[in-house]
Amino acid sequence: MGISIGAAPASIGTGANYQFTATVTGTTNQTVAWTASAGTIDSSTGLFIAPTTVPSPASVTITATAAADASAKKNTTITVQATDPLGTVSSSSQLGSCAGSVSGGTCYQLALSCPGVADFSAYLKVNNPAGAPVGTVLLGVGTGGSGLYDDPTAGGYDHGSDVVMSLVNNDYNTVQVSFGAPFDNGTTPRGWLTGPGGVRRLACRYATVADWVYNHPKIINPGVPVTVTNSAPMCATGNSGGSAAVAYAAFEYGLDSELAMIEPTSGPVMSRIDQGCSSTCSAIGNICPGSNNVPNMCYLAADAKIIDEAYQSNGASTPTPCTDALNGTSGANTAAQLLSDSILYGGSSQNIHMPNTVLMQLLGDDDTSNAVPQATTWEGQVTPSPSSPVPHFACLAGVQHDIPSFATGATQIANDIVANCH
């Protein structure tokens, strides 16, 4: 009798999870019992959740023991590190044309590979200032980032072009990041959230793009001196689901060392996925004073479907962990897995420390989605950085969820970045 354990990533970030599988030979009984030398693992399902701090030793031993014969065992190891492992960009190519409303851009396609998820393509639209750049700014749209920030016909915003032009006129390179539209003929509408793998692991795609932009300044702006080795200062903003991608990159994927400033707008919406996917809605008070915001953390049914898709193969409709949890029919491990996949994977005790990154946040007074309480929960657990004694948190009157689609929202985003991206 023998046991084989399915392939798994070599490393995993603190608090992250991985579903181990095993095959038993020599018997029809495929039941195994799982144990782990650190962290937790469900003895029957093999769902491993790494400890929230790096253990000593960092290499964790996972053991599968056959139920039919306790002497039949198999070990494998996985290394727990402080941040989630980044992926790689295997190739980049310039496209023949660019979409969007801002002219003069150069577009690229990147081929991405991330641990434990399917390979994927990302697209960049780059606009450069006339003179020497003072920095580089990443801009991303909502849900899974399938769209261009300056193109309201392709997942972007009515005043997204105003943000881009204001930044370019203030001598910033702008890099709009798309994980689909309008470049792929609608074949990947889920964007970076195209599963399976789960939200947190899929966020590797955005983080890998951001890291690549930082380390390829000559591609982003051919006019910079040959001695320039990175795109610093580099900053990022994203709305709704795009705000979550930025937060995952800065914290889970360790890019606070590369991101001088971030401005999540209408989010991060995935601060506590476990509370968003819950039949018992947690509530927080005093969000935007005098606003129309709702305090409940629970996702709406349409939001839950988006989370579900991060756990589904492309084109599949199952599993539905978030919808099940929202309806009170979740499995035994669902809450633990969804907490692990949250930006605040340590729960209410999580301390978000980003000493190198200035945090700004914008919310709309008329945003009635769960984005506002999710964002407030994140902001309340961020340790102030030395360059920003108190994280900036602003609510905009008369503004709804798609903040860059409002003139006042677009102006505020551009002004915040110009004032703090340095």
Side-chain angles (χ1 to χ4, degrees):
M1 186 177 297
I3 299 179
S4 60
I5 295 178
S11 59
I12 192 172
T14 54
N17 65 80
Y18 191 77
Q19 179 65 62
F20 282 92
T21 60
T23 301
V24 184
T25 57
T27 178
T28 58
N29 187 351
Q30 294 296 303
T31 304
V32 301
W34 295 93
T35 58
S37 62
T40 62
I41 192 167
D42 187 290
S43 61
S44 59
T45 67
L47 178 66
F48 171 68
I49 298 179
T52 55
T53 57
V54 177
S56 181
S59 181
V60 175
T61 300
I62 308 295
T63 303
T65 303
D69 182 355
S71 67
K73 298 184 177 183
K74 183 68 174 181
N75 293 334
T76 190
T77 60
I78 188 168
T79 299
V80 178
Q81 57 188 45
T83 58
D84 290 7
L86 287 165
T88 58
V89 175
S90 59
S91 66
S92 63
S93 57
Q94 184 174 330
L95 301 179
S97 62
C98 268
S101 60
V102 177
S103 62
T106 304
C107 287
Y108 300 90
Q109 181 174 356
L110 308 182
L112 307 175
S113 295
C114 279
V117 299
D119 292 349
F120 213 71
S121 291
Y123 304 88
L124 308 179
K125 179 180 178 181
V126 180
N127 286 86
N128 301 126
V134 297
T136 295
V137 181
L138 305 174
L139 303 104
V141 302
T143 312
S146 182
L148 273 180
Y149 201 89
D150 73 345
D151 190 349
T153 68
Y157 306 105
D158 292 346
H159 291 276
S161 58
D162 295 344
V163 178
V164 173
M165 288 305 304
S166 179
L167 293 174
V168 171
N169 290 338
N170 278 280
D171 296 325
Y172 288 91
N173 301 312
T174 61
V175 181
Q176 298 177 60
V177 182
S178 170
F179 291 92
F183 301 98
D184 68 344
N185 297 315
T187 56
T188 53
R190 302 178 185 181
W192 64 268
L193 284 169
T194 300
V199 177
R200 178 173 170 179
R201 188 166 291 111
L202 294 173
C204 169
R205 291 166 174 163
Y206 177 87
T208 299
V209 170
D211 179 68
W212 185 89
V213 170
Y214 183 80
N215 287 294
H216 289 80
K218 286 291 291 181
I219 295 179
I220 299 306
N221 191 325
V224 299
V226 69
T227 54
V228 173
T229 59
N230 58 53
S231 296
M234 187 174 77
C235 302
T237 186
N239 196 73
S240 192
S243 71
V246 170
Y248 278 116
F251 184 60
E252 265 78 4
Y253 287 88
L255 295 193
D256 64 303
S257 61
E258 297 178 1
L259 290 164
M261 175 257 188
I262 61 174
E263 183 157 57
T265 62
S266 294
V269 294
M270 298 165 188
S271 299
R272 288 291 301 271
I273 301 175
D274 60 318
Q275 291 187 355
C277 305
S278 175
S279 59
T280 305
C281 289
S282 301
I284 62 174
N286 287 334
I287 302 173
C288 295
S291 72
N292 294 309
N293 302 140
V294 297
N296 292 330
M297 295 282 284
C298 285
Y299 297 133
L300 299 175
D303 303 321
K305 184 177 183 294
I306 293 169
I307 300 296
D308 289 340
E309 291 173 345
Y311 299 86
Q312 301 167 358
S313 297
N314 195 18
S317 58
T318 59
T320 53
C322 187
T323 296
D324 292 346
L326 202 64
N327 293 333
T329 59
S330 61
N333 295 321
T334 300
Q337 183 178 21
L338 295 178
L339 173 59
S340 169
D341 280 342
S342 302
I343 300 167
L344 297 172
Y345 60 82
S348 59
S349 62
Q350 184 80 59
N351 179 23
I352 306 296
H353 186 53
M354 300 184 295
N356 304 305
T357 304
V358 174
L359 171 65
M360 315 284 284
Q361 277 184 277
L362 286 182
L363 301 176
D365 272 351
D366 293 337
D367 185 350
T368 57
S369 74
N370 73 290
V372 178
Q374 288 274 345
T376 308
T377 299
W378 149 268
E379 189 270 340
Q381 293 178 226
V382 174
T383 300
S385 66
S387 56
S388 181
V390 179
H392 180 77
F393 188 80
C395 298
L396 300 178
V399 171
Q400 299 173 18
H401 185 72
D402 285 350
I403 291 179
S405 283
F406 294 81
T408 54
T411 298
Q412 188 70 55
I413 292 167
N415 289 346
D416 287 347
I417 294 172
V418 170
N420 293 279
C421 185
H422 48 71

